[in-house]
């Protein structure tokens, strides 16, 4: 059977699908020229496919099907296929539903998969032949033969039993994550799904059960993708890469021989200088940490167990000294935030002085505790971009939040000190690319 794996992009802004629990985000800063410049820059930084589609491609190809991958923007047409598997997302839900209905009218068997279809299958049920709730990898190629309607797949029982993702049908040359290099092919990879923590606003803990892979098999996947695609960068999609120190060291040992660069999201309170050293030697070049807010009491009310401020500060300082680009993630507009608390968070972000920052807006994603806590605005799913106000905040207007969001980005990136840091990181990274060196060896110091 000819099977198309389809990702839909309906927004003009930089849209990432494998973030926010798989519900997706659309990056937005604001309306000033500096905000627009940052939005354009972000679109150059990251473009990676969903891991789910890579796994499905491998399972379908192994079963003898002919697989193609497509990004549908606007009214793009699909070539003639027998079946289309559409990746669902919250941010492009309307366009995905429309596409499913159009394809079905053309006689193409239409199957919708992914986190948002799992949370809200009824939104897709009218347009698609099949809506898969759960992880489609649990069905594998059998998802083409399921009865029509909503199918409950459950979880893939053993992540190590899945074949390695197959990217041969995808435009690998177009994949990028600039923090790992400007030109070298970068692929997504997963060593874990879900998260063992329980932050009340976080969709990752509700869209997948927490599971980890064998580090040695992760290393074998890296070797396979290097040989197959000459990949030099790997963006780990794990919501939490470093729960257990021994396992994190085992991952570093499994990655080190391959001379690749990698990025990962980690808890700051599960890192220490020796572990950071081992990870940097293994190729860690980009580290995301959740900082969220400077107000620990506010975070505790959201059931977050925040790392101590001094721990976060040390991780940022030590990692950047080792040449690792640190991205600090913050959330604006949690229910107990007010303008003063957010300004304190912004001031701390400036003092932390990380290589990059992300300021999302608290969003009541389906299944989260936050969604039960707040009164959602009557908005279409597509408006839940992760960067826009979507609920009635007790103290903050939407305009206040978006103004602060823009201020947060502009104050971080438009300052002489940042320009100097950017050049210290970007120039050696560019040279590393041009000279074709791997992930180990010389690294720029912050
Ligand atoms: S530690 Fe991070 S990934 Fe885990 S639940 Fe909290 S915010 Fe989500």
């Amino acid at each position: 059977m000819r099977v198309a794996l389809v990702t839909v992009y309906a927004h003009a802004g930089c849209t990432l699908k494998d973030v926010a629990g798989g519900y997706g985000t659309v990056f937005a800063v604001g309306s000033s020229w500096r905000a627009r410049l940052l939005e354009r820059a972000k679109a150059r930084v990251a473009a990676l496919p969903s891991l789910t589609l890579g796994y499905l491609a491998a399972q379908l190809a192994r079963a003898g099907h002919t697989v193609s991958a497509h990004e549908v923007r606007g009214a793009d047409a699909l070539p003639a296929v027998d079946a289309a598997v559409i990746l669902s997302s919250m941010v492009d839900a309307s366009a995905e539903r429309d596409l499913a209905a159009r394809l079905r009218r053309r006689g193409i068997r239409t199957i919708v998969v992914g986190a948002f279809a799992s949370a809200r299958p009824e939104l897709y049920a009218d347009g698609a032949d099949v809506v898969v709730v759960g992880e489609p990898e649990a069905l594998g190629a059998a998802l083409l033969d399921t009865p029509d309607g909503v199918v409950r797949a459950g979880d893939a029982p053993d992540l190590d039993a899945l074949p390695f993702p197959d990217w041969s049908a995808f435009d690998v040359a177009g994949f990028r994550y600039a923090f790992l290099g400007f030109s070298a092919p970068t692929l997504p990879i997963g060593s874990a799904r879900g998260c063992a923590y329980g932050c009340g606003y976080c969709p990752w803990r509700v869209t997948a059960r927490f599971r980890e892979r064998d580090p040695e098999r992760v290393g074998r996947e890296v070797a396979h993708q290097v040989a197959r695609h000459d990949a030099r960068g790997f963006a780990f999609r794990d919501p939490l890469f470093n729960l257990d120190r021994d396992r994190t060291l085992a991952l570093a040992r499994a990655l080190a021989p391959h001379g690749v660069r990698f990025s990962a999201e980690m808890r700051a309170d599960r890192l220490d200088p020796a572990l950071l050293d081992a990870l940097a030697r293994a190729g860690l070049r980009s580290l995301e940490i959740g900082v969220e807010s400077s107000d620990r009491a506010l975070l505790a009310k959201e059931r977050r167990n925040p790392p101590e401020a001094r721990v976060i500060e040390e991780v940022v300082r030590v990692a950047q000294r080792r040449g690792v680009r640190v991205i600090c993630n913050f959330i604006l507009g949690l229910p107990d935030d007010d303008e003063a608390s957010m300004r304190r968070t912004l001031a701390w972000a400036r003092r932390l002085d990380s290589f990059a920052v992300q300021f999302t807006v608290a969003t009541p994603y389906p299944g989260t505790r936050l969604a039960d806590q707040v009164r959602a605005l009557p908005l279409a799913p597509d408006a839940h971009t992760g960067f826009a106000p979507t609920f009635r905040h007790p103290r903050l207007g939407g305009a206040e939040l978006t103004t602060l969001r823009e201020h947060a980005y502009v104050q971080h990136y438009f300052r002489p000190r940042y320009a100097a840091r950017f050049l210290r990181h970007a120039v050696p990274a560019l040279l590393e690319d041009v000279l074709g060196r791997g992930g180990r060896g010389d690294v720029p110091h912050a």
Side-chain angles (χ1 to χ4, degrees), residues 135-183:
E135 293 177 340
E137 301 96 313
L139 296 171
L143 100 166
L144 298 176
D145 305 316
T146 54
D148 286 1
V150 174
V151 173
R152 299 197 178 270
D155 298 330
D158 178 3
L159 298 179
D160 285 320
L162 295 174
F164 297 144
D166 181 353
W167 302 113
S168 50
F170 293 74
D171 175 21
V172 172
F175 295 175
R176 64 182 174 276
Y177 185 51
F179 291 175
L180 296 180
F182 294 101
S183 62

Side-chain angles (χ1 to χ4, degrees), residues 101-417:
R102 271 194 285 138
L103 295 178
R104 190 158 72 157
R105 282 198 294 275
R106 278 173 54 189
I108 296 171
R109 185 160 173 78
T110 307
I111 300 154
V112 180
V113 302
F116 191 55
S118 297
R120 302 287 304 277
E122 72 282 2
L123 291 181
Y124 294 91
D126 284 350
D129 292 303
V130 177
V131 182
V132 176
V133 172
E135 293 177 340
E137 301 96 313
L139 296 171
L143 100 166
L144 298 176
D145 305 316
T146 54
D148 286 1
V150 174
V151 173
R152 299 197 178 270
D155 298 330
D158 178 3
L159 298 179
D160 285 320
L162 295 174
F164 297 144
D166 181 353
W167 302 113
S168 50
F170 293 74
D171 175 21
V172 172
F175 295 175
R176 64 182 174 276
Y177 185 51
F179 291 175
L180 296 180
F182 294 101
S183 62
T186 291
L187 295 175
I189 187 169
S191 92
R193 293 188 185 180
C195 183
Y197 285 82
C199 309
Y201 47 82
C202 178
W204 283 116
R205 63 175 302 273
V206 295
T207 56
R209 186 171 56 81
F210 181 61
R211 282 151 296 161
E212 296 176 317
R213 290 175 66 195
D214 174 2
E216 279 186 28
R217 185 154 166 86
V218 174
R220 284 204 294 279
E221 179 178 333
V222 166
H224 168 80
Q225 304 293 12
V226 168
R228 179 74 184 76
H229 297 290
D230 195 24
R232 308 308 297 162
F234 288 85
F236 278 90
R237 307 308 307 138
D238 314 15
L240 178 60
F241 183 85
N242 66 328
L243 180 64
D244 177 80
R245 193 177 192 280
D246 288 343
R247 180 178 177 276
T248 309
L249 281 170
L251 281 166
R253 282 194 298 275
L255 292 165
H258 306 296
V260 298
R261 310 163 195 160
F262 67 95
S263 64
E265 292 185 36
M266 304 194 206
R267 286 272 309 195
D269 52 1
R270 294 188 171 274
L271 284 168
D272 55 68
L275 186 53
L276 275 168
D277 274 343
L279 289 165
R281 280 198 302 275
L284 181 70
R285 290 291 179 275
S286 171
L287 166 64
E288 278 193 57
I289 55 172
V291 180
E292 322 295 41
S293 168
S294 62
D295 188 328
R296 294 175 58 78
L298 175 153
L299 291 174
K301 281 196 186 170
E302 300 304 323
R303 301 210 175 152
R304 174 154 175 97
N305 177 14
E308 298 283 344
R310 63 169 179 77
V311 171
I312 291 172
E313 287 161 6
E314 183 185 37
V315 164
V316 174
R317 186 168 39 79
V318 171
Q320 296 198 149
R321 277 208 194 129
R322 306 286 192 276
V324 177
R325 291 149 202 133
V326 178
I327 301 121
C328 287
N329 292 327
F330 300 89
I331 300 181
L332 301 176
L334 284 165
D336 279 337
D337 254 329
D338 56 24
E339 182 166 344
S341 68
M342 291 193 297
R343 286 201 180 276
R344 284 194 296 275
T345 295
L346 266 53
W348 190 31
R350 198 179 163 105
R351 286 200 304 279
L352 279 171
D353 198 26
S354 56
F355 181 73
V357 286
Q358 174 160 272
F359 292 94
T360 50
V361 172
T363 302
Y365 288 114
T368 60
R369 183 173 171 271
L370 181 62
D372 298 331
Q373 260 180 294
V374 299
R375 275 203 304 147
L377 293 167
L379 298 168
D382 318 54
H384 294 70
T385 62
F387 287 85
T390 49
F391 66 89
R392 292 186 206 288
H393 197 282
R395 278 172 295 284
L396 294 163
E400 275 175 282
L401 256 176
T402 51
T403 300
L404 264 170
R405 182 194 65 200
E406 180 168 344
H407 175 63
Y409 278 102
V410 169
Q411 75 150 17
H412 185 85
Y413 288 111
F414 288 89
R415 58 197 163 114
R417 183 174 175 158

